[in-house]
Amino acid sequence: MKNLLRSIFVVTFAALLLATASIPSDAARRTAAGTSMYDGTWSVAIYTQRGDCDASVRAALRIVGGRIYAEDQSYQAYGAVASGGAVRVMIASGNRSASGSGRLSQNSGGGRWRTATGECSGQWTAERRNW
C-alpha cells in the first residue's frame, strides 16, 4: 500500500511538473499578444528651451503594444516605441503640434522635441507611472 501511494504521488508530481513546464512564461505571453516591455502609463514632462511656448507642460501617455496614445482627451498623441526603446511621437492640441524623439529604458526616458512650425524646441523626460 505504501508503494502504491508513493507511485501515485510520484506520477502526480511528474504530471504537475510537465503541465507547468508547458505554460508559457509571462514574457512569452506578452510577446505573443503583441505587447512591449514599455507598455503602461507614462508621465512626460516637456520643457521649452527655445521659443515663446509654455515653459513646461506635463502629459500622461499610454503605450500599448509599442504604440503611443494620449491618456487625456484634451490632446492627441501618435507614435511608437521600438523594441530597443527608440521613441518617435507627435502630440497635437487644437492648432498646435510638436514632434519628439528619444529613448525609453524600462522605467524612464528622455529626448528632444520641436513644434511643427519650428518656433519652439526643448527636451522631454518620461517616467513610468505604473508597473
Side-chain angles (χ1 to χ4, degrees), residues 55-75:
S56 66
V57 176
R58 188 162 292 276
L61 299 178
R62 177 168 293 279
I63 300 174
V64 179
R67 296 278 184 216
I68 301 171
Y69 302 95
E71 185 74 353
D72 184 330
Q73 296 295 323
S74 65
Y75 58 91

